[in-house]
């Protein structure tokens, strides 16, 4: 497996919802895991992969890649029946049925820099009336500083689809992530990745090696 590192940081308030809100006293708590006996907030591999898949799917056709545009395995399979597996599903796999054997994501863990957490109170707005809903106050736990890192590993089989992966990463920096959040990200340890990419993609890789939103 070949690899590179993704470093991610919140832009403003980042919330990646977890499943044990009562412990943190928030309606939506940030997901945590245990590292060396310490409880830390983190971005699960599945959350990162899911967001990246959506971003890649959204930009695929603009750059000549095929995307079935589906999110459920049923509909994906139906869409692929006529014209073959699309590029997005070849790269990311079909969820639950046929997970990719060629692309793997680590959980993104805090890199040691301080991750600051804060409870914020939000108001649920009704999409139709554009008014606050009755009883629509809720608290959400957010992280607003610190950086998270993890590795992405890929096999030789998907080298031709690496530009799609890069386009997805670039799109993710312009897009929503988690719950109403935004992230910046940059790539590190890219020597192998650079070798595997055609020269025409090197400028995009250069751009992804720096932060988008901060110097
Ligand atoms: Zn597909």
């Amino acid at each position: 497996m070949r690899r590179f590192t993704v470093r991610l940081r919140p832009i403003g308030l980042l919330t990646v919802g977890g499943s044990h809100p009562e412990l943190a006293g928030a309606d939506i708590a940030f997901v945590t895991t245990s590292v060396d006996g310490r409880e830390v907030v983190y971005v699960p591999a599945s959350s990162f992969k899911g967001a990246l898949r959506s971003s890649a799917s959204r930009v695929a056709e603009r750059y000549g890649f095929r995307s079935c545009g589906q999110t459920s395995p049923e509909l994906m399979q139906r869409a692929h029946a006529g014209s073959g597996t699309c590029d997005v599903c070849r790269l990311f796999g079909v969820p639950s049925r046929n997970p990719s054997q060629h692309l793997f994501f680590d959980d993104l863990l805090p890199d040691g820099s301080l991750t600051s957490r804060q409870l914020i109170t939000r108001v649920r707005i009704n999409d139709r009336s554009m008014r606050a809903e009755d009883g629509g106050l809720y608290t959400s736990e957010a992280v607003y500083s610190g950086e998270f890192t993890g590795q992405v590993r890929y096999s030789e089989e998907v080298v031709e689809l690496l530009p799609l992966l890069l386009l997805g990463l670039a799109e993710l920096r312009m897009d929503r992530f988690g719950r109403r959040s935004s992230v910046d990200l940059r790539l590190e340890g890219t020597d192998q990745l650079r070798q595997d990419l055609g020269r025409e993609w090197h400028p995009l890789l250069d751009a992804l090696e720096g932060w988008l939103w901060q110097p």
Side-chain angles (χ1 to χ4, degrees):
M1 282 275 155
R2 302 163 179 207
R3 64 194 67 214
F4 61 91
T5 297
V6 172
R7 178 176 292 272
L8 177 143
R9 66 187 185 196
I11 299 297
L13 298 164
L14 170 66
T15 299
V16 179
S19 53
H20 300 290
E22 68 280 9
L23 298 179
D27 297 322
I28 298 169
F30 208 101
V31 279
T32 59
T33 187
S34 175
V35 175
D36 301 330
R38 245 172 3 107
E39 191 208 26
V40 295
V41 290
Y42 79 118
V43 179
S46 56
S47 303
F48 182 65
K49 183 183 177 184
L52 185 54
R53 182 194 179 97
S54 310
S55 295
S57 180
R58 206 164 23 251
V59 295
E61 292 189 346
R62 213 182 302 159
Y63 294 93
F65 293 96
R66 290 188 308 128
S67 168
C68 64
Q70 303 296 341
T71 49
S72 87
E74 292 281 292
L75 295 175
M76 280 172 188
Q77 233 149 36
R78 206 174 301 165
H80 296 159
S83 49
T85 305
C86 76
D87 292 327
V88 172
C89 293
R90 276 172 61 212
L91 181 60
F92 289 91
V94 174
S96 76
R97 292 215 177 160
N98 185 15
S100 174
Q101 301 302 311
H102 305 300
L103 184 64
F104 297 94
F105 295 82
D106 286 348
D107 290 332
L108 300 179
L109 296 171
D111 74 335
S113 59
L114 188 66
T115 47
S116 306
R117 297 156 77 173
Q118 183 176 322
L119 281 186
I120 49 173
T121 301
R122 288 181 150 146
V123 182
R124 212 168 262 123
I125 305 289
N126 185 301
D127 284 341
R128 286 225 184 113
S129 68
M130 296 306 285
R131 290 189 167 177
E133 289 182 358
D134 283 345
L137 279 185
Y138 66 100
T139 53
S140 173
E141 185 183 31
V143 165
Y144 59 91
S145 73
E147 295 179 1
F148 301 85
T149 63
Q151 288 197 327
V152 176
R153 284 162 290 138
Y154 61 92
S155 77
E156 236 174 297
E157 308 290 317
V158 292
V159 161
E160 56 170 318
L161 295 172
L162 288 174
L164 178 58
L165 184 62
L166 252 57
L167 290 163
L169 287 162
E171 175 72 7
L172 195 56
R173 305 200 291 190
M174 310 292 290
D175 203 5
R176 288 295 174 87
F177 187 90
R179 292 178 185 259
R180 305 177 174 204
S181 308
S182 302
V183 294
D184 200 355
L185 60 82
R186 73 175 194 197
L187 308 186
E188 298 173 349
T190 54
D191 291 353
Q192 179 70 54
L193 179 61
R194 188 172 290 273
Q195 278 182 39
D196 288 337
L197 283 164
R199 273 192 174 282
E200 67 274 30
W201 295 103
H202 286 186
L204 178 58
L205 179 57
D206 293 341
L208 283 165
E209 284 177 327
W211 298 112
L212 177 63
W213 296 106
Q214 280 133 357

